[in-house]
């Protein structure tokens, strides 16, 4: 049962007490000097441009003095920072950083590579691609060039950009068959019988063309291109590929494209109401329109509600509204909940048989690294009961199935700067099918060269011009080095990263049990409820003063309690014992039944939970909850017979008690 | 005349020989330790979770050993890096890094702030906003809250994302009046007389509504919102603001919005053909369509051709095709050329009087920091003759006027990780009018709160939730610290950063003169030409073997010469004497007249310059040129009577000579 031997992590981090500061300093110095001497060994015959007497000049020292002054001020300001390193911090998704990552990042900064092409990053671009493969393997994707589909991945500035890329890639692929058909028709070209029905492209309806699967579209493109190549002369080939480009959604834009295809309704994207706000942003920015974002309700565990998804899919199918994709969340940012990815995949199979296709993107910005816990070093997926035997509650069977099903989804967002314990900026986008690259390439090289078919280039070769396939234009090689070295030292499987994840889960389970004890202990004073038992390592709870039935009052009281663990830049850090975060359950995002269950557990009158508040002293449009991310490696460290969760529980008891007495005094 | 005293820069960089390695090491160590003791001083009463005997355990040391092994491998790989630090590197836009920036970045990484909100970055978010103001001031924008428009800016992962934001912001503002009119009409609301004609909104045509200026739109929104607030009850206000949101382009998407307004043609964006490829990407990704990107020709200096711009504007005006914006490039990535921004601004004034408006965005990713050279510490813009007296050629009057006119443009892209000599990732977006924030906010807070009018909040307060106003979702506070400290130590005006820029310009002028000498010296062997005299610090030249008239042969020969200064990861760095970069002038991007001028200077038969090549041995669709970025601080450093440009000229002479003899031998 729960193993709380934390010794395996002792060398991983700098430590809450900076215990490993000497290790850090020694290694960093070594590589700083290594860098300095690299410079000296480039053309040692040249005289150094900065003369040795420079440091004796007034100006030189004045500048250094000023720089030090500014850095002292920065350092002083930084002391107001959030103490992510400490087990007393259980707030947002941040903790101490893994040593290999920080060291690799810092040493690479000195070389300053830009991973946008191998030209500017001869040493780090391949590391970024390798990180993509490491992550792909963790999710169960094939990365072998000999089999298709084979995956690829790259780093982004964060999960938000990776989410944008998920939508962008889907749009490019899904719109392609229509563009191809349009081009062929315009040029009166005869194409071979293609697609699922093995018939001329022109015989497919627009609805059918938009509902080709990703793989079907990849094959369709290759088939048509090679047909034209072998049957037409070079000029015709150019004309054709140029025409396809001109008919693409990238070229025409959303308005131009859909004006050209009025038979086709505007596509939607389905995401659970628990999804990150970047999904709404993605629809706005990509010009798809946030009004075409279809929210799927969540169930009593804050997981996507499958009945609702089915209802929505059925409705869209009947009304022939194309669905670009369905986004499943693997560890929601607010509650850590895990959507039933496997069920989404099942629905896709079912509807695809009816000629209704949608892409599946997994937003695993938070939970992605948890996949390491389920994957053996040999790549196999660990059976449920085997994992289950190592925890008290985790993983719920649905959670296990969800992680397993990621391998069948089209793309994944994952943030190494979250549960990968790496410094910012380090997000990642992983795609199952590198065939998609040909639809998003900025160069569309195949368009212009008959001889060299770039669609046949190996993925790694294509990606030497990484900038051609991604949204961003500059990319710190230092982030790639950080992720690469970290994954080499702590591999992305059960015996590597999985152990860090397991510790985090154990801490969460311990917290969950402990909060029940607090609940019992304080039942004369307040009612505490955990609205959703945690799927991963995030936990929320609500606190209502005894006998209060107004939601507004409960929220007010909870805010007062939370103030005891809130970042306050005007107070020295030391004035704080613990840090947490908070979130709200909004009326619009919660089904009435679930809301009533939670409110009834708390003893709150459900009528005070309103979408439009008229009496601010009693009603509220949200249920305020305290939220804790349990990712710090030292939460379970016992000091004088108590670990940090035990201490936290004492702290919250005192805080509640204090605020209750204050509230009574105010009355 | 040219002052080549480089001593002021001695303390700025680590140095080509890592001369300042001790300074770097000493300061870095100090702040590393400062960080470590910060950790220890948070709750010093707690026992350290990593026990003091941990380092004596086998597992601990095995992990450290493995980590060191991996870091050694990384360090070894990094030795293949491009030697950006060296004055022997004159390739892409990178050089040695400014010490204050590197130090600030590294020390901030340890605290790992995320600048998406002040919650996660209490110490660095305000620094990012301050960097925005510093850059805004450099461009001549007002940053005083008491006057409007007042500017704001923030950091991005690079210029590409900043460019996207330029388009995204313009789209949001320009489409707003239409959405507002639609909402008012649908709800049968009476609004006051507004806009330039002081008439009811419903009386404006759609063309007129789309051609409100940014400022007019900001005022329009405020006027209408406050009118409704004072005249309607709370519920009506909610209904109205919600309806505006529902009619917005963000909500409807590009297709939905323009389908609703069929009277309005799809808007275009005008960019010079010399613009970075991210502009095409921006149109694709934002769903505007790269087909709606209107390329403006360039003149004989690779600057936007004003006659062509005027022609295009006139044509779009006549055909009533809305122009979202015109992008002027301040230092093109390929040639460093500067578009006549002042003329673009003049055209805007002229057409705006006719009721035809367009935004102006300046892509100053490359040249932005050059603005520091023109700005006095007191904020005044330095007269042309005063600047001119300090250089041989620079700045051309048009260049000076262009820099001056940035203050009248709507937004700017600038890359601190280019001429700001800062590590990746550090791009920036600066906007002249913070009123735009209310159109791009994800929260649209004013929509839901009658009491608190968020449109009236001071900019700095709004931006505490920076993530609500930008594309990205995670942002390294370390980049903000780097830029902030650097700008504090080396201010963004003539006497600060301007001096670094001046040195770079002097190096470029020296190079320009020197290459003429090389040209004369080698005239019996090859013909050399500089197709465009440099506007900034980038220079290109073409080399044609004597008596050759075929473009394909010239390109082939130039490539051979270039191979002598090309990154080759298979060779040790030391095997290289100099590094350059290369680029191509494409047939499609060059006016015939200009092409003919260049080819005639080179003695090439213009008929061998074809868009579609049939004879690869003679014809080509591009003119291949060698390209040098002259930003390294030590280019003018003299060693044994020669500086690095002198040495380079000897090197290129030898390389040309060698390749000529090889070519002759092959014959």
């Amino acid at each position: 049962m729960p193993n709380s031997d934390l010794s395996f992590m002792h060398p991983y981090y700098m430590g809450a007490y900076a215990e490993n500061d000497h290790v850090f300093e020694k290694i960093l110095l070594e590589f700083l000097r290594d860098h300095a001497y690299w410079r000296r060994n480039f053309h040692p015959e040249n005289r150094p441009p900065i003369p040795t007497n420079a440091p004796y000049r007034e100006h030189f020292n004045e500048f250094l003095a000023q720089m030090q002054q500014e850095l002292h001020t920065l350092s002083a300001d930084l002391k107001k920072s959030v103490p992510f390193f400490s087990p007393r911090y259980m707030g947002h998704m941040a903790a101490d950083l893994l040593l290999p990552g920080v060291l690799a990042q810092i040493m690479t900064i000195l070389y300053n590579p830009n991973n946008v092409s191998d030209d500017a990053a001869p040493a780090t671009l391949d590391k970024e691609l390798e990180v993509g493969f490491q992550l792909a393997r963790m999710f169960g994707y094939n990365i072998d060039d000999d089999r298709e589909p084979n995956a690829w991945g790259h780093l982004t500035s964060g999960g938000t950009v990776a989410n944008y890329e998920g939508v962008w890639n889907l749009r490019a692929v899904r719109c392609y068959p229509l563009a191809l058909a349009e081009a062929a028709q315009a040029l009166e070209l005869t194409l071979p019988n293609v697609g699922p029905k093995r018939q001329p492209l022109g015989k497919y309806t627009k609805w059918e063309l938009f509902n080709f699967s990703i793989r079907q579209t990849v094959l369709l493109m290759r088939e048509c291109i090679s047909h034209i190549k072998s049957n037409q002369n070079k000029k015709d080939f150019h004309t054709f590929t140029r025409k396809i480009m001109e008919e693409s959604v990238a070229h025409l834009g959303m308005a131009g494209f859909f004006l050209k295809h009025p038979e086709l309704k505007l596509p939607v994207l389905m995401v659970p109401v628990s999804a990150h706000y970047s999904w709404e942003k993605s629809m706005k920015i990509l010009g798809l329109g946030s009004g075409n974002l279809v929210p799927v309700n969540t169930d009593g565990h804050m997981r996507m509600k499958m009945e609702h998804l089915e209802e929505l899919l059925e409705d869209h199918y009947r009304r022939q509204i194309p669905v670009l994709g369905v986004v499943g969340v693997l560890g929601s940012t607010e509650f850590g909940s895990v959507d039933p990815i496997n069920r989404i995949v099942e629905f896709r199979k079912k509807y695809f048989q009816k000629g209704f296709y949608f892409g599946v993107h997994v937003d695993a910005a938070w939970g992605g690294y948890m996949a390491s816990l389920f994957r053996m070093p040999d790549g196999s997926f660990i059976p449920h009961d085997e994992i289950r035997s190592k925890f008290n509650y985790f993983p719920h069977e649905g959670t296990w199935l969800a992680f397993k099903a990621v391998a069948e989804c089209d793309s994944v967002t994952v943030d190494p700067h979250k549960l990968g314990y790496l410094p910012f900026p380090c997000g990642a986008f992983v795609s199952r099918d590198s065939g998609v690259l040909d639809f998003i390439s900025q160069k569309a090289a195949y368009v212009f060269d008959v001889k060299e078919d770039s669609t046949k280039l190996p993925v790694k070769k294509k990606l030497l011009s990484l900038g051609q396939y991604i949204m961003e234009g500059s990319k710190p090689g230092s982030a790639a080095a950080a992720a690469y070295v970290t994954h080499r030292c702590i591999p992305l499987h059960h015996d590597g990263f999985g152990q860090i994840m397991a510790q985090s889960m154990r801490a969460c389970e311990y917290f969950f049990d402990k909060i029940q004890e607090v609940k019992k202990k304080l039942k004369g004073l307040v009612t505490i409820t955990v609205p959703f038992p945690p799927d991963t390592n995030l936990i929320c709870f609500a606190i209502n003063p005894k006998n209060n039935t107004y939601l507004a009052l409960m929220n007010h009281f909870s805010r007062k309690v939370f103030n005891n663990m809130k970042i306050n830049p005007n107070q020295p850090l030391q004035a704080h014992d613990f840090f947490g975060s908070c979130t709200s359950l909004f009326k619009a995002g919660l089904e009435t039944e679930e809301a009533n269950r939670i409110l009834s557990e708390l003893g709150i009158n459900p009528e005070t939970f309103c979408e439009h508040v008229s009496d601010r002293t009693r009603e509220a449009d949200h249920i305020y909850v305290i939220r804790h991310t349990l990712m710090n490696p030292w939460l379970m460290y016992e000091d004088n017979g108590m670990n940090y969760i035990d201490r936290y529980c004492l702290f919250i008891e005192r805080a509640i008690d204090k605020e209750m007495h204050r509230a009574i005094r105010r009355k």
Side-chain angles (χ1 to χ4, degrees), chain A:
Chain A
M1 283 310 285
N3 156 17
S4 58
D5 179 5
L6 309 175
S7 66
F8 76 98
M9 291 190 292
H10 288 163
Y12 285 7
Y13 300 93
M14 191 187 281
Y17 190 77
E19 297 92 323
N20 289 326
D21 59 342
H22 279 88
V23 171
F24 189 79
E25 188 173 310
K26 184 179 151 282
I27 298 181
L28 190 61
L29 265 185
E30 176 186 344
F31 289 109
L32 273 184
R33 289 176 182 162
D34 200 355
H35 174 83
Y37 293 112
W38 173 66
R39 292 192 177 203
R40 292 202 184 174
N41 282 299
F42 175 40
H43 272 277
E45 74 276 18
N46 290 132
R47 257 180 31 195
I50 304 174
T52 45
N53 64 1
Y56 303 105
R57 293 193 192 136
E58 199 185 329
H59 161 78
F60 189 94
N61 289 298
E62 256 178 31
F63 181 80
L64 288 194
Q66 195 197 343
M67 179 169 79
Q68 269 182 292
Q69 179 93 61
E70 291 296 338
L71 290 170
H72 276 292
T73 310
L74 173 64
S75 179
D77 283 352
L78 284 169
K79 305 293 172 66
K80 290 189 299 191
S81 292
V82 186
F84 296 128
F85 64 87
S86 167
R88 290 174 174 275
Y89 182 78
M90 308 178 195
H92 291 295
M93 299 165 150
D96 202 358
L97 302 169
L98 286 167
L99 275 183
V102 187
L103 285 165
Q105 186 176 30
I106 294 177
M107 72 192 252
T108 306
I109 284 173
L110 302 172
Y111 297 83
N112 202 31
N114 179 1
N115 271 12
V116 77
S117 78
D118 66 332
D119 223 31
T124 49
L125 179 60
D126 58 343
K127 290 183 177 51
E128 174 154 353
L129 302 181
E130 187 52 38
V131 169
F133 296 129
Q134 289 164 339
L135 292 168
R137 212 183 289 121
M138 174 174 74
F139 294 123
Y141 289 156
N142 165 48
I143 55 163
D144 186 348
D145 253 357
D146 301 341
R147 273 193 296 136
E148 288 203 312
N150 58 335
W152 80 285
H154 75 99
L155 298 178
T156 62
S157 69
T160 295
V161 172
N163 287 346
Y164 297 165
E165 289 200 356
V167 185
W168 172 47
N169 283 14
L170 278 175
R171 176 171 68 184
V173 181
R174 300 292 300 279
C175 291
Y176 183 83
L178 283 156
L180 185 71
E182 199 77 9
Q185 199 193 355
L187 301 174
E188 295 178 4
L189 280 176
T190 325
L191 293 177
N193 288 342
V194 288
K197 292 188 178 172
R198 304 313 296 168
Q199 68 183 24
L201 210 53
K203 285 209 168 173
Y204 287 96
T205 65
K206 300 214 166 178
W207 171 256
E208 284 172 335
L209 289 171
F210 199 84
N211 281 291
F212 273 41
S213 74
I214 295 182
R215 196 93 277 266
Q216 282 173 342
T217 309
V218 169
L219 298 176
L220 172 73
M221 183 189 78
R222 293 189 192 160
E223 233 174 339
C224 293
I225 294 285
S226 75
H227 173 83
I228 296 291
K229 264 191 191 171
S230 55
N231 287 281
Q232 315 285 328
N233 66 33
K234 198 169 150 182
K235 215 180 147 192
D236 287 348
F237 177 74
H238 280 149
T239 317
F240 180 52
T241 51
R242 174 171 293 270
K243 188 72 190 156
I244 301 174
M245 185 275 286
E246 285 169 2
E247 295 293 340
S248 71
V249 67
H251 183 83
L252 292 170
M254 283 297 292
F257 188 85
F258 284 93
L259 279 170
K260 262 213 159 171
H261 302 286
E263 308 88 336
L264 203 63
K265 292 181 182 150
L266 296 181
V268 302
L269 187 76
M270 296 186 175
V271 303
V273 289
S274 55
H276 190 251
Y277 78 106
S278 58
W279 285 104
E280 199 179 323
K281 233 158 93 167
S282 79
M283 297 296 279
K284 292 179 180 176
I285 286 169
L286 273 79
L288 287 151
S290 54
N292 296 313
L293 191 76
V294 176
V296 188
N297 290 344
T298 46
D299 65 13
H301 294 267
M302 268 293 153
R303 302 172 194 143
M304 189 193 271
K305 191 168 178 169
M306 285 301 117
E307 296 77 12
H308 193 219
L309 176 66
E310 187 166 24
E311 209 176 282
L312 289 168
L313 286 172
E314 189 59 31
D315 178 59
H316 282 71
Y317 170 61
R318 285 214 191 128
R319 291 159 61 204
Q320 296 227 332
I321 300 174
V323 176
L324 197 59
V326 174
V327 176
V329 179
L330 203 79
S332 63
T333 18
E334 295 307 301
F335 313 103
S337 51
V338 174
D339 287 340
I341 310 290
N342 51 310
R343 302 283 312 280
I344 302 175
V345 170
E346 280 166 21
F347 282 135
R348 169 158 68 181
K349 271 187 206 142
K350 179 180 147 190
Y351 281 100
F352 186 42
Q353 281 165 2
K354 303 186 187 188
F356 178 46
Y357 181 81
F358 53 86
V360 182
H361 179 88
V362 180
D363 184 349
W366 174 242
Y369 274 77
M370 283 262 168
S372 63
L373 188 52
F374 298 91
R375 187 80 46 200
M376 284 303 285
D378 68 3
S380 61
F381 200 77
I382 304 176
H384 182 234
D385 49 1
E386 202 178 316
I387 295 270
R388 185 65 194 75
S389 68
K390 293 170 188 168
F391 299 93
N392 286 330
Y393 313 108
F394 181 80
H396 170 258
E397 202 194 350
T399 305
W400 181 81
L401 287 167
F403 274 91
K404 195 161 187 246
V406 176
E408 294 172 72
C409 301
D410 301 309
S411 47
V412 187
T413 292
V414 54
D415 272 350
H417 64 215
K418 290 198 174 92
L419 275 180
Y421 297 83
L422 288 174
F424 292 105
C426 203
F429 173 75
V430 185
S431 166
R432 184 175 52 161
D433 194 336
S434 65
V436 173
L437 286 170
D438 297 319
F439 301 97
I440 52 168
S441 166
Q442 296 306 306
K443 258 193 197 150
Y446 70 89
V447 169
F448 300 109
D449 207 328
V450 188
K451 269 196 201 162
E452 194 187 295
D453 187 348
S454 83
T455 62
K456 284 176 187 158
L457 273 181
V459 183
K460 281 195 187 176
K461 197 128 190 212
K462 269 184 199 169
L463 293 174
L464 290 182
S465 326
L466 184 57
Q468 298 293 329
Y469 303 98
I470 61 173
M471 277 184 67
E472 290 168 289
S474 310
K475 302 169 55 44
S478 54
Y484 174 77
V485 170
T486 302
H487 296 168
R488 290 280 301 176
C489 293
I490 310 172
L492 297 178
H493 55 59
H494 178 270
D495 302 345
F497 238 95
Q499 292 309 302
I500 305 180
M501 297 296 107
Q503 261 315 314
S504 172
M505 275 316 306
R506 282 189 197 108
C508 188
E509 296 195 330
Y510 187 86
F511 191 104
F512 182 73
D513 288 344
K514 271 303 207 183
I515 208 78
Q516 310 301 331
E517 287 177 27
V518 174
K519 181 180 172 167
K520 270 183 217 148
K521 233 162 123 183
L522 298 186
K523 73 176 177 214
L525 211 57
V526 293
T527 311
I528 293 178
T529 195
V530 175
F532 323 106
D535 281 350
T536 56
N537 49 359
L538 257 172
I539 195 162
C540 294
F541 60 92
I543 317 165
N544 186 30
K546 196 77 193 165
N547 299 326
N548 167 51
T549 58
Y550 302 129
L551 182 54
L553 272 183
M554 181 192 102
N555 288 350
H556 179 75
F557 178 76
S558 301
R559 281 198 173 87
K560 290 277 174 200
V561 174
F562 178 68
N563 281 344
N564 291 279
M565 47 177 132
K566 191 181 158 184
I567 298 292
N568 180 351
N570 299 322
Q571 275 190 340
L573 214 56
Q574 287 75 6
H576 293 83
D577 280 329
F578 281 92
F579 291 93
S581 62
C582 62
T583 189
S584 292
L585 308 169
F586 282 94
K587 180 85 183 165
L590 211 56
E591 294 209 315
T592 314
E593 196 186 320
E594 286 311 321
N596 289 348
R597 171 184 61 79
I598 298 165
L599 294 173
S600 117
E601 279 172 29
L602 288 163
I604 294 289
N605 176 2
E607 282 171 18
T608 60
F609 188 31
C610 326
E611 205 150 348
H612 293 290
V613 172
S614 36
D615 180 356
R616 275 169 185 264
T617 64
R618 302 186 169 189
E619 298 165 1
D621 61 354
H622 65 282
I623 305 172
Y624 182 90
V625 294
I626 289 173
R627 168 178 169 271
H628 291 296
T629 308
L630 297 156
M631 69 180 283
N632 189 285
W634 317 117
L635 294 169
M636 300 286 278
Y637 170 69
E638 271 191 24
D639 177 8
N640 287 320
M642 284 179 86
N643 66 32
Y644 281 91
I645 296 170
D646 300 331
R647 280 166 207 271
Y648 169 81
C649 287
L650 281 185
F651 159 82
I652 189 90
E653 281 168 28
R654 276 197 297 263
I656 290 172
D657 193 68
K658 183 179 81 181
E659 298 302 337
M660 276 303 280
H661 281 93
R662 278 196 187 169
I664 291 163
R665 251 180 289 140
R666 269 195 299 271
K667 276 183 194 164

